[in-house]
Amino acid sequence: MHLARGSSDDPHVWLWVLGALALYALISYALAYRARARRGSSHPARDAVHDLKDREDPQPPEDRFVSRLIMFSGAGLTGLVAYLTSGAVRVLTVGLTALVAVTVWAYFDHRTQTRAAARR
């Protein structure tokens, strides 16, 4: 009899997945907080939490699609790097890949937000 198992023999895979989700939530909150603080909000922490669930200024559909494509591509690339490496190399390469992916994603969102604000 065979027992059903996950696709990986590494017992720490769920920790990596939960860590990636926590990192995504933290980065999303930090970007929302930064935007609220720059706009001069009196309570940027509380407003940033509200921005996570409903956005005041939705992106145009094409910018939102590209932003999500960058986000998911970065997550996929980070997951692929984690799958292909092990040990201390995994921690270093996953950290660097995630940092580059998040930087590209944040830069794109910043650039499109600046252009959208200039059009108004």
Side-chain angles (χ1 to χ4, degrees), residues 4 11 20 22 31 34-35 43 45 48 51-53 63 72 74 78 80 86 92 97 104 112 118:
L31 291 173
R34 182 174 156 240
H43 301 288
D51 283 351
L52 291 178
K53 56 185 175 179
D63 288 345
F72 288 129
T78 304
L80 182 65
S86 65
L92 181 64
T97 305
V104 169
T112 56

Side-chain angles (χ1 to χ4, degrees), residues 3-117:
L3 296 176
R5 296 184 69 171
S7 63
S8 175
D9 290 333
D10 187 5
H12 302 291
V13 167
W14 286 109
L15 292 177
W16 283 95
V17 171
L18 291 175
L21 290 174
L23 183 64
Y24 171 75
L26 180 67
I27 290 168
S28 296
Y29 174 78
L31 291 173
Y33 177 86
R34 182 174 156 240
R36 282 299 190 158
R38 281 186 167 188
R39 290 184 204 150
S41 174
S42 60
H43 301 288
R46 185 183 66 212
D47 293 340
V49 170
H50 291 295
D51 283 351
L52 291 178
K53 56 185 175 179
D54 58 24
R55 299 184 179 261
E56 294 175 358
D57 266 337
Q59 294 174 315
E62 59 275 356
D63 288 345
R64 181 172 170 78
F65 174 75
V66 173
S67 175
R68 295 306 177 241
L69 183 66
I70 292 170
M71 180 182 68
F72 288 129
S73 297
L77 183 62
T78 304
L80 182 65
V81 167
Y83 178 75
L84 295 175
T85 58
S86 65
V89 174
R90 175 185 283 173
V91 174
L92 181 64
T93 56
V94 166
L96 288 174
T97 305
L99 181 66
V100 168
V102 167
T103 302
V104 169
W105 179 40
Y107 180 75
F108 175 80
D109 280 352
H110 173 72
R111 294 285 296 177
T112 56
Q113 180 184 18
T114 304
R115 279 188 269 144

